[in-house]
């Protein structure tokens, strides 16, 4: 299929999904108004049930359209081949033949936050390195999770160049000032000034057509490639992962559920019940059964709250929950910065990303890393998730816009007007048919129907590394 064909095919799926979010929400509200038990309430229930059946059939039809003529095999092959190309470029960039003269970018891990947040810090650094043809030098001794550093679990970022030394070094600054300096030190992304256009959620131009054609969320795929390179496991970690996989009885199909609670609930995210997560797990399996046999409803459950697993097991006996209790426990006790908790979060993210579908909160970096990693592994899994709160984002990203494709005239004070071609800075999706954002033309912030817009990608010119050997 051509790129445009794939873009349009995914758009139809997306519109159908937004239509369903809208309808279900409105019907539910209407039912609540009638008190539920009235004749009209019962009638509305029937409509919701019938519509759910339509949705399942639509899912099957979309699946057929997606896989017809062996297209799914092509998708997997193409995504793998593009991934290999990008990884070869990273390898080339990270292994200069002469480290003493190579241009470098230095980044350190002494960022006071969790594993996902620190990993994203490295992703951003390496992305800047890629854009400027600079080898990333990682300073990670004294890391809060493992004092010996990053290499105690992950493979070194380079075989030839781990030293930061160079003729001169400066802090990040204007392109002219840093251009010819051998070593550039990076701040955290929030303090970056000036801010280049190649930060997330941008994608590189030279692979953009192939990437847009094969994956519905090219930005996360590109970020996922950095995650993949940075977290290549040391042999002992690989063995640990393989052993854990056997011990847990992990296999596909499987839904990954991440329930983030404890400290996160203080200021950053809202509480969500186990039932809320499980509603979407059930919905996914109901749909999956339309296209394949599901002998067992497997759920890989990760959480920093140890009460989640027993509750889920008790209330959902028809599901098989797999979870590493030692892992969950260490996270729950909030011994967050030890070798044990590092192992815990690495294993949890690994298995979440191996699942076919994710239910979690994108406000959590753990969940976003799992989603990014997932993008690099299974063809096009860009729609295989349900976030209970935010849409996907990268902390400190450049503006994320959607482009208006259909006019909208506001119907109440909460909504905004839109004209085709307007750019809306998107703040979130309410998962009820509406999104929220700011219209750049009018300066007004408010709700608008998501289906009248489409994602606007930032495509940037970056080095192509033709010397990299695939
Ligand atoms: P965020 O705070 O959820 O956005 O993500 P961070 O990765 O920045 O910080 C949260 C930290 O809490 C993680 O890095 C882990 O150390 C711990 N944590 C949170 N959720 C889990 C989980 O499901 N499993 C494990 N093992 N650890 C978790």
């Amino acid at each position: 299929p051509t790129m445009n064909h794939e873009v349009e095919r995914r758009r139809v799926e997306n519109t159908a999904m937004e239509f369903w979010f809208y309808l279900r929400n409105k019907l539910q509200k209407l039912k609540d108004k009638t008190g539920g038990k009235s004749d009209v309430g019962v009638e509305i229930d029937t409509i919701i049930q019938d519509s759910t059946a339509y949705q399942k059939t639509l899912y099957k039809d979309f699946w057929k359209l997606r896989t017809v003529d062996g297209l799914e095999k092509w998708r997997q092959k193409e995504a793998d081949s593009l991934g290999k190309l990008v990884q070869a470029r990273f390898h080339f960039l990270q292994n200069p033949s002469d480290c003493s003269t190579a241009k470098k970018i230095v980044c350190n891990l002494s960022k006071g936050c969790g594993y996902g947040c620190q990993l994203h810090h490295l992703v951003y650094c390496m992305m800047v390195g890629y854009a400027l043809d600079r080898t990333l030098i990682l300073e990670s001794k004294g890391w809060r999770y493992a004092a010996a550093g990053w290499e105690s679990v992950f493979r070194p970022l380079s075989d030839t160049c781990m030293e930061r030394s160079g003729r001169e070094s400066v802090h990040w600054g204007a392109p002219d000032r840093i251009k010819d300096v051998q070593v550039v030190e990076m701040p955290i992304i929030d303090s970056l000034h000036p801010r280049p256009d190649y930060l997330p959620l941008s994608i590189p131009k030279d692979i953009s057509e192939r990437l847009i054609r094969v994956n519905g969320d090219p930005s996360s795929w590109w970020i996922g490639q950095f995650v993949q390179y940075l977290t290549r496991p040391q042999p002992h970690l690989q063995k640990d992962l393989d052993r854990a996989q056997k011990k847990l009885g992990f296999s596909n199909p499987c839904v990954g559920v991440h329930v983030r609670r404890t400290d996160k609930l203080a200021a950053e995210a809202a509480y969500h019940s186990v039932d809320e997560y499980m509603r979407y797990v059930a919905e996914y399996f109901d749909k999956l059964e339309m296209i394949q046999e599901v002998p067992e409803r497997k759920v890989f459950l990760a959480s920093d709250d140890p009460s989640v697993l027993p509750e889920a097991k008790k209330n959902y006996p028809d599901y098989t929950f797999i979870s590493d209790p030692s892992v969950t426990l260490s996270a729950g006790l909030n011994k967050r910065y030890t070798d044990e908790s590092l192992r815990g979060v690495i294993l949890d993210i690994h298995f979440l990303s191996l699942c076919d579908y994710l239910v979690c909160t994108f406000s959590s970096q753990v969940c976003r890393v799992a989603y990014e990693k997932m993008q690099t592994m299974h063809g096009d899994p860009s729609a295989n998730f349900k976030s209970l709160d935010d849409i996907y984002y990268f902390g400190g990203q450049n503006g994320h816009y959607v482009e208006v494709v259909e006019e909208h005239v506001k119907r109440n004070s909460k909504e905004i007007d839109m004209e085709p071609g307007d750019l809306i800075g998107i703040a979130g999706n309410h998962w009820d048919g509406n999104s929220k954002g700011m219209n750049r033309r009018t300066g007004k912030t408010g709700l608008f129907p998501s289906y009248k817009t489409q994602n606007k990608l930032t495509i940037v010119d970056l080095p192509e590394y033709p010397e990299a050997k695939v």
Side-chain angles (χ1 to χ4, degrees):
T2 63
M3 179 184 84
N4 288 338
H5 179 276
E6 287 297 274
V7 168
E8 296 308 332
R9 181 185 58 76
R10 288 189 294 251
R11 177 153 180 87
V12 176
E13 280 190 38
N14 195 62
T15 305
M17 192 175 68
E18 288 289 340
F19 183 30
W20 176 228
F21 288 161
Y22 167 81
L23 203 64
R24 181 167 56 182
N25 183 269
K26 289 284 181 205
L27 288 171
Q28 195 61 47
K29 279 199 175 133
L30 208 57
K31 185 183 146 193
D32 293 346
K33 261 192 199 160
T34 68
K37 292 271 182 284
S38 67
D39 283 357
V40 180
V42 172
E43 189 78 8
I44 294 175
D45 249 347
T46 311
I47 300 177
I48 294 179
Q49 276 168 25
D50 287 352
S51 306
T52 306
Y54 276 97
Q55 279 303 310
K56 288 202 305 192
T57 296
L58 265 180
Y59 180 80
K60 184 174 78 182
D61 295 346
F62 285 138
W63 175 252
K64 280 189 186 158
L65 191 61
R66 174 181 159 133
T67 55
V68 69
D69 298 337
L71 282 183
E72 192 62 9
K73 279 208 185 84
W74 162 79
R75 208 167 276 114
Q76 184 76 52
K77 227 172 113 193
E78 173 65 359
D80 288 351
S81 137
L82 203 51
K84 280 206 183 91
L85 171 69
V86 168
Q87 292 299 315
R89 290 178 179 186
F90 291 170
H91 185 80
F92 175 79
L93 173 67
Q94 283 303 115
N95 290 283
S97 51
D98 183 358
C99 188
S100 68
T101 57
K103 282 192 170 178
K104 303 170 186 178
I105 188 162
V106 179
C107 206
N108 75 57
L109 260 188
S110 60
K111 197 177 177 219
C113 57
Y115 170 77
C117 160
Q118 295 180 333
L119 175 56
H120 279 140
H121 177 55
L122 300 190
V123 165
Y124 130 76
C125 285
M126 193 173 158
M127 200 179 274
V128 173
Y130 182 93
L132 300 182
D133 198 356
R134 288 176 177 273
T135 304
L136 172 63
I137 308 291
L138 168 60
E139 295 186 320
S140 68
K141 291 276 175 294
W143 185 23
R144 71 198 306 188
Y145 279 99
W150 193 252
E151 295 80 33
S152 61
V153 278
F154 300 120
R155 280 166 57 192
L157 303 192
S158 173
D159 302 322
T160 65
C161 193
M162 301 278 282
E163 283 298 321
R164 63 162 292 160
S165 55
R167 288 184 312 280
E168 58 210 320
S169 98
V170 290
H171 288 285
W172 176 259
D176 277 354
R177 198 165 67 76
I178 61 172
K179 194 167 57 110
D180 299 317
V181 180
Q182 193 184 351
V183 183
V184 175
E185 287 202 48
M186 297 306 287
I188 60 170
I189 192 167
D190 316 80
S191 332
L192 193 69
H193 184 80
R195 292 174 59 86
D197 62 356
Y198 50 75
L199 295 178
L201 304 170
S202 71
I203 57 163
K205 187 166 177 196
D206 73 307
I207 56 165
S208 62
E209 285 211 6
R210 283 181 74 185
L211 182 48
I212 294 168
R213 183 170 170 228
V214 78
N215 189 296
D217 186 359
S219 308
S220 308
W221 184 93
W222 177 232
I223 291 163
Q225 289 298 329
F226 289 92
V227 168
Q228 193 189 327
Y229 186 86
L230 290 162
T231 60
R232 293 169 307 156
Q234 288 279 18
H236 69 85
L237 176 61
Q238 186 62 56
K239 258 194 208 145
D240 193 9
L241 294 171
D242 295 343
R243 233 183 290 130
Q245 180 151 355
K246 274 213 189 95
K247 196 173 139 217
L248 291 172
F250 183 94
S251 63
N252 297 84
C254 160
V255 174
V257 174
H258 177 237
V259 180
R260 180 76 168 97
R261 292 201 178 145
T262 64
D263 59 311
K264 191 83 173 177
L265 302 184
E268 292 180 38
Y271 175 91
H272 296 277
S273 67
V274 170
D275 294 342
E276 209 178 322
Y277 291 87
M278 288 306 294
R279 186 153 76 231
Y280 295 105
V281 175
E283 219 168 75
Y284 177 71
F285 278 122
D286 286 348
K287 288 197 287 193
L288 192 65
E289 279 172 350
M290 298 293 286
I291 57 170
Q292 70 177 76
E293 252 182 68
V294 181
E296 200 180 8
R297 293 192 162 202
K298 276 200 177 181
V299 177
F300 179 80
L301 182 68
S303 178
D304 55 337
D305 178 350
S307 76
V308 169
L309 182 63
E311 181 187 339
K313 279 187 167 166
K314 180 164 161 272
N315 295 344
Y316 294 89
D318 296 341
Y319 292 76
T320 308
F321 291 94
I322 47 177
S323 170
D324 188 338
S326 64
V327 163
T328 310
L329 196 64
S330 69
L333 293 174
N334 249 344
K335 287 189 298 176
R336 283 178 46 180
Y337 308 118
T338 62
D339 291 330
E340 192 194 353
S341 69
L342 177 60
R343 174 181 180 267
V345 71
I346 291 172
L347 259 67
D348 276 347
I349 290 176
H350 175 73
F351 290 116
L352 286 170
S353 71
L354 285 181
C355 286
D356 306 84
Y357 192 82
L358 270 180
V359 183
C360 57
T361 46
F362 271 168
S363 58
S364 169
Q365 311 229 28
V366 170
C367 160
R368 296 205 305 276
V369 172
Y371 173 75
E372 292 150 8
K373 254 175 95 92
M374 184 186 195
Q375 297 313 307
T376 66
M377 288 189 295
H378 325 266
D380 179 14
S382 57
N384 290 7
F385 75 95
K386 171 67 202 172
S387 166
L388 300 186
D389 54 17
D390 299 334
I391 55 170
Y392 176 83
Y393 68 97
F394 186 94
Q397 72 190 18
N398 282 342
H400 180 192
Y401 295 96
V402 293
E403 189 177 0
V404 177
V405 289
E406 266 179 61
E407 183 193 44
H408 185 67
V409 179
K410 68 183 219 176
R411 294 161 301 186
N412 57 55
S413 61
K414 286 187 184 158
E415 294 191 351
I416 53 171
D417 289 322
M418 311 191 298
E419 283 172 16
D422 284 356
L423 288 181
I424 315 283
I426 180 142
N429 188 323
H430 288 206
W431 312 116
D432 61 358
N434 289 309
S435 288
K436 191 175 177 181
M438 203 228 341
N439 190 329
R440 223 163 63 160
R441 179 177 58 83
T442 63
K444 294 273 192 301
T445 297
L447 298 177
F448 58 89
S450 318
Y451 79 93
K452 292 186 174 179
T453 64
Q454 67 190 14
N455 194 38
K456 173 90 182 156
L457 282 170
T458 306
I459 299 176
V460 290
D461 260 319
L462 294 181
E464 298 181 12
Y465 299 100
E467 311 92 319
K469 297 263 176 316
V470 183

